[in-house]
Amino acid sequence: MVRYFTRLRVRRIYKWGGRPYIFDRKLKSYGFEYLNMSVEGQEAVTTVTPGQYILIEGNDDEYPFVAKLLKLFGDESHKQKKALVQWFLRLSEVPQNKKLLLGRSPHPQEIFYYLGRACDDEINAESILGTVHVRQDNSPPGTKDTLYVKLSWDTKAFNVLDPVLMQDTSASTPPKPALPLFTPCASPTATPVSRGPVHHALPTPDPTVMRRAGSVSDTRATMSAGKRSTLEAESIHSASKLSASKILSAKRRGSAADTPGVRKKLQLSIGASECLYLRMKELRNSVCFPCFLIQVTPSTPRCATPCIPSRTVPARQPGNILEEARARLHVSSVPESLPCREQEFQDIYNFVESKVMDGTGGCMYISGVPGTGKTATIHEVIRCLQHASDMDEIPTFRFIEINGMKMTDPHQAYVQILQKLTDQKVTADHAAALLEKRFSNPAPKKETTVLLVDELDLLWTRKQNVMYNLFDWPTRRHARLVVLTIANTMDLPERIMINRVASRLGLTRMSFQPYSFKQLQQIITSRLNKVKAFEEDALQLVSRKVAALSGDARRCLDICRRATEICEHSASHPSSAGLVKMSHVMEALDEMFSSSYITAIRCASLQEQLFLRAVIAEFRRLGLEEATFQQVFVQHRTLSRVEGLQPISLSEGLAVCQRLGACRLLLLEASRLDMLQRVRLNVSQDDVLYALKPVRD
């Protein structure tokens, strides 16, 4: 046998030959007539066409896989080259315990027609090594470059090969056993339908039978073969549905079958819908019957897994200055530096670095209003520490991050921490016990763990056991755990934490103050990085507006991005758009602070506006984003007396709360309508304060 060198030793070049002759809209693939192969540095070109027998790269260089090429196709970019094949087996690929079923010693050049379903019939065309001669004969060939086949293997027994299977077929899906093209018209004892393109003579459809077949329900397609042969032999429509059902069920059964021998499982299996479409196309070309009987729409198989199509072309680059500025001002864009937080960065860096160097644990509580750079600063600290660890300047450590907003229950914190540490997924109670054991017992090669807990206030429970454990573990001698907690309220420990929890948190605290207008202006300028897209007055206007309201950098970036869109749309052509001016910024501010929610708040009654003020006051008192109606109602009565208004009754307060909930300004607990009903804001507090500011003034 000639030794075929694989691509590990030589580089092969594969190119499509000719133009694509068919396009599959469902699979988004093009069909090609032939494939040209050449070896780098050589002028010889090998052409492979459907119908030829090919050698496919495998684990053994001397004995590559053998298959018959049925179809060549590729994706829209023509970069991925795929092929549909019919496999052949060597005896070495048959399981060891079934080789004795052959009953003799095989010839080295003998192969077997594979009828199993364990191997995917769709391969990468760039794994093709070349062509080979295969013939069906009972005697070995005279030349060493020719293989011969006379038996088939169906994963259970060796059988005599049907000569029809070796005939040349069109570029369609290879036939599979036990999948007839349509229901046989013979008795159950008749010879099974072969898998080749055999033309069957169909009887002339009787009108009575056709009307009865059209009224048959879908369940009739799953009847036994005996009933099908007597009741549905004349119905081609029902038979086509039966073929589709069998194809899908066979596809599911094939995924669980044993892989024969050492044959590797190839990726990217073909969809069953294309199999059905191509088989019905072959049927339509070979048999003539009324067209309304053969209109089969390929359906998506139920076993298909939805996936996002891979990107075939790179992302489009910004076309002008405004697009580039809009990309740099996006919240997800990672800036080159974090301005205006140098002191906070240095304090957090020194705290974590000292704990990692000493191998000890500790806690730090970080507070500040939203959009002040708390999480971004910590991520920058961790990035710098990981770089120092890679340079062997500090010991290695592990960084884990959890967020209270992403958990349905506070006890899920145990599960997420353990899963990120050990890749184990257990229940919350079991995870808490394993973490307790991990942080309490010494280990010879234990590395420091840095844990970031964002939105700490959402981990509050009645017994506060989750917070207690998170703050107590760093105090253990062998824990080597550093906990960084983030919340929006500066005095959260004094408000909601009991003494034994607050004492373990410690006194290491840091507060992020809201950005001033100069800091916001510096942040925008540093992100733009010499991209001249805004006028100086426009940047100063948006910075002052946001700084006067909340100092939220995220909102400032969103307003600037919206201003660039307005400027680009106002120009006659996107390429001719100029700088963002104050008029564009004012329009973006009006859109941002004049939403439907703000309009609804301004149009609300006096008691409803007062109730919203009471909700915000209670949230700030509790340090949480949720309160009961009873707590808010007490605040509402207090504010009414301060404003010199007559306090409303309990029933009137419930009615006000329900009206705000109907407008979706509040989120109310739907399961109860009493004093303990939980209330949350559906808009940000900044929007509520902005909408109520003209009323309060």
Side-chain angles (χ1 to χ4, degrees):
M1 186 78 182
V2 179
R3 188 179 183 89
Y4 296 91
F5 297 99
T6 65
R7 288 183 293 142
L8 297 176
R9 295 182 175 85
V10 296
R11 182 186 177 190
R12 299 180 181 272
I13 301 174
Y14 298 82
K15 294 183 179 179
W16 291 124
R19 302 180 63 182
Y21 67 92
I22 189 173
F23 175 68
D24 192 325
R25 295 183 179 179
K26 214 172 201 38
L27 299 178
K28 297 183 178 180
S29 62
Y30 289 90
F32 292 86
E33 296 181 355
Y34 57 93
L35 178 69
N36 293 327
M37 301 187 307
S38 61
V39 179
E40 188 177 21
Q42 300 181 9
E43 297 181 356
V45 178
T46 302
T47 301
V48 179
T49 59
Q52 289 183 322
Y53 297 92
I54 57 175
L55 297 173
I56 300 174
E57 179 182 357
N59 300 326
D60 192 348
D61 296 342
E62 188 171 359
Y63 297 102
F65 296 139
V66 183
K68 183 178 181 179
L69 182 61
L70 301 176
K71 179 182 177 182
L72 292 169
F73 60 95
D75 60 354
E76 294 179 342
S77 62
H78 302 335
K79 294 182 179 179
Q80 293 185 356
K81 300 176 177 61
K82 300 296 179 182
L84 199 64
V85 298
Q86 166 61 51
W87 290 108
F88 289 82
L89 284 179
R90 303 179 191 269
L91 188 64
S92 59
E93 302 171 31
V94 178
Q96 188 67 27
N97 59 344
K98 296 184 179 181
K99 291 182 179 180
L100 298 177
L101 297 176
L102 184 61
R104 58 177 175 82
S105 298
H107 192 274
Q109 296 170 246
E110 183 179 5
I111 57 177
F112 306 94
Y113 194 95
Y114 182 60
L115 297 178
R117 300 181 180 275
C119 296
D120 293 333
D121 50 8
E122 187 173 300
I123 66 169
N124 184 2
E126 296 186 354
S127 62
I128 299 176
L129 301 178
T131 60
V132 66
H133 296 286
V134 177
R135 62 185 179 88
Q136 184 181 5
D137 199 348
N138 293 330
S139 59
T143 61
K144 296 182 179 181
D145 295 339
T146 303
L147 304 176
Y148 79 100
V149 56
K150 63 179 181 180
L151 298 178
S152 63
W153 169 252
D154 59 358
T155 70
K156 294 182 180 181
F158 292 95
N159 303 311
V160 179
L161 180 61
D162 188 355
V164 179
L165 299 178
M166 294 296 294
Q167 294 179 0
D168 292 337
T169 58
S170 60
S172 61
T173 304
K176 297 296 181 181
L179 282 179
L181 205 56
F182 46 81
T183 307
C185 297
S187 62
T189 59
T191 304
V193 179
S194 63
R195 303 186 311 167
V198 180
H199 302 283
H200 294 266
L202 294 179
T204 303
D206 184 71
T208 305
V209 177
M210 296 307 298
R211 286 194 297 270
R212 186 169 63 253
S215 62
V216 174
S217 60
D218 294 342
T219 57
R220 291 281 300 275
T222 59
M223 298 175 63
S224 62
K227 293 182 179 180
R228 207 167 51 241
S229 62
T230 57
L231 297 180
E232 300 180 5
E234 299 88 351
S235 178
I236 307 302
H237 181 65
S238 300
S240 64
K241 293 167 61 177
L242 176 63
S243 299
S245 175
K246 281 197 170 185
I247 290 175
L248 296 179
S249 61
K251 193 78 176 178
R252 291 191 290 271
R253 290 196 305 269
S255 61
D258 297 331
T259 303
V262 298
R263 182 182 295 271
K264 62 181 179 179
K265 260 205 166 185
L266 301 171
Q267 304 296 324
L268 192 62
S269 62
I270 190 169
S273 60
E274 186 186 12
C275 297
L276 174 62
Y277 174 73
L278 293 174
R279 293 174 73 88
M280 295 310 300
K281 180 180 178 181
E282 181 182 354
L283 174 65
R284 185 167 63 249
N285 294 336
S286 59
V287 184
C288 295
F289 44 81
C291 59
F292 67 89
L293 295 177
I294 61 174
Q295 292 179 354
V296 179
T297 302
S299 59
T300 303
R302 288 172 291 181
C303 58
T305 302
C307 62
I308 301 177
S310 59
R311 176 177 289 176
T312 58
V313 294
R316 187 175 66 88
Q317 298 296 327
N320 50 43
I321 296 178
L322 294 179
E323 289 186 3
E324 185 176 357
R326 191 156 55 247
R328 295 190 178 190
L329 293 175
H330 198 277
V331 178
S332 62
S333 176
V334 180
E336 299 177 358
S337 62
L338 287 176
C340 309
R341 290 297 181 218
E342 291 81 5
Q343 185 60 43
E344 290 84 353
F345 172 87
Q346 193 62 42
D347 293 342
I348 299 175
Y349 186 93
N350 294 336
F351 175 79
V352 179
E353 183 188 28
S354 63
K355 301 300 181 183
V356 173
M357 294 287 292
D358 299 339
T360 58
C363 296
M364 173 181 279
Y365 177 73
I366 302 171
S367 61
V369 297
T372 53
K374 303 182 294 297
T375 306
T377 303
I378 294 178
H379 285 166
E380 183 68 15
V381 168
I382 297 300
R383 189 187 65 81
C384 295
L385 288 173
Q386 288 176 343
H387 177 71
S389 176
D390 295 339
M391 302 298 293
D392 294 333
E393 298 178 1
I394 61 173
T396 59
F397 66 94
R398 297 191 63 178
F399 174 66
I400 298 175
E401 180 181 1
I402 61 174
N403 193 314
M405 289 288 292
K406 300 179 181 180
M407 302 178 192
T408 57
D409 183 77
H411 295 87
Q412 289 295 319
Y414 300 135
V415 179
Q416 293 191 14
I417 294 174
L418 182 67
Q419 186 176 5
K420 294 179 180 179
L421 280 175
T422 62
D423 293 333
Q424 300 181 27
K425 191 170 184 180
V426 296
T427 61
D429 295 337
H430 191 193
L434 293 177
L435 291 174
E436 178 74 20
K437 181 179 179 181
R438 179 185 180 92
F439 294 129
S440 300
N441 300 329
K445 296 182 180 180
K446 180 182 291 187
E447 59 183 4
T448 302
T449 302
V450 180
L451 174 62
L452 172 61
V453 183
D454 207 347
E455 305 293 346
L456 176 67
D457 51 335
L458 297 179
L459 299 182
W460 182 89
T461 57
R462 186 174 61 85
K463 294 184 178 180
Q464 301 187 16
N465 53 351
V466 177
M467 289 184 177
Y468 177 83
N469 289 330
L470 291 179
F471 300 151
D472 183 60
W473 286 334
T475 62
R476 309 289 176 85
R477 179 181 178 183
H478 305 289
R480 304 190 69 171
L481 176 65
V482 182
V483 179
L484 304 175
T485 60
I486 298 177
N488 296 333
T489 308
M490 183 172 60
D491 56 347
L492 181 70
E494 288 76 20
R495 287 190 177 186
I496 68 172
M497 294 183 185
I498 57 181
N499 292 334
R500 69 187 185 99
V501 178
S503 63
R504 281 166 172 76
L505 178 60
L507 300 176
T508 307
R509 303 185 183 183
M510 178 177 296
S511 178
F512 280 64
Q513 298 299 324
Y515 289 112
S516 63
F517 82 93
K518 291 184 178 180
Q519 291 175 331
L520 291 175
Q521 191 171 356
Q522 183 180 352
I523 290 173
I524 299 174
T525 304
S526 64
R527 278 184 173 255
L528 291 175
N529 193 14
K530 299 181 181 180
V531 175
K532 186 63 176 177
F534 287 80
E535 293 183 351
E536 293 296 333
D537 295 339
L539 282 181
Q540 188 174 1
L541 174 63
V542 66
S543 302
R544 287 183 178 275
K545 282 284 187 180
V546 176
L549 183 62
S550 61
D552 190 342
R554 288 193 291 260
R555 173 155 297 193
C556 188
L557 295 176
D558 291 339
I559 294 174
C560 291
R561 295 184 71 250
R562 178 55 185 157
T564 58
E565 294 176 354
I566 295 174
C567 178
E568 188 173 4
H569 293 162
S570 61
S572 58
H573 193 272
S575 59
S576 62
L579 300 179
V580 179
K581 302 179 181 180
M582 293 185 63
S583 59
H584 303 138
V585 173
M586 287 299 300
E587 187 175 350
L589 287 170
D590 292 339
E591 290 183 4
M592 186 68 67
F593 297 113
S594 299
S595 63
S596 58
Y597 288 107
I598 295 179
T599 304
I601 294 173
R602 288 178 175 175
C603 297
S605 65
L606 181 60
Q607 293 294 340
E608 291 172 348
Q609 294 177 353
L610 199 62
F611 194 88
L612 291 174
R613 289 174 52 190
V615 170
I616 295 177
E618 186 63 23
F619 285 177
R620 292 182 175 180
R621 186 187 71 85
L622 295 175
L624 302 174
E625 298 293 333
E626 184 179 278
T628 63
F629 171 78
Q630 183 179 12
Q631 295 170 330
V632 176
F633 185 69
V634 172
Q635 286 282 354
H636 183 271
R637 293 178 67 89
T638 304
L639 290 176
S640 297
R641 295 188 184 97
V642 172
E643 296 291 339
L645 300 175
Q646 180 68 27
I648 60 177
S649 62
L650 179 61
S651 60
E652 292 174 339
L654 283 172
V656 170
C657 183
Q658 292 300 318
R659 286 197 299 270
L660 293 175
C663 297
R664 304 301 295 171
L665 295 175
L666 294 178
L667 297 178
L668 307 178
E669 187 179 9
S671 60
R672 59 195 311 168
L673 299 173
D674 55 5
M675 296 286 289
L676 299 180
Q677 184 183 34
R678 289 180 293 182
V679 178
R680 297 189 65 179
L681 277 175
N682 196 29
V683 293
S684 65
Q685 297 185 18
D686 297 337
D687 291 342
V688 177
L689 295 177
Y690 178 83
L692 296 178
K693 188 175 181 180
V695 179
R696 295 176 60 183
D697 288 342

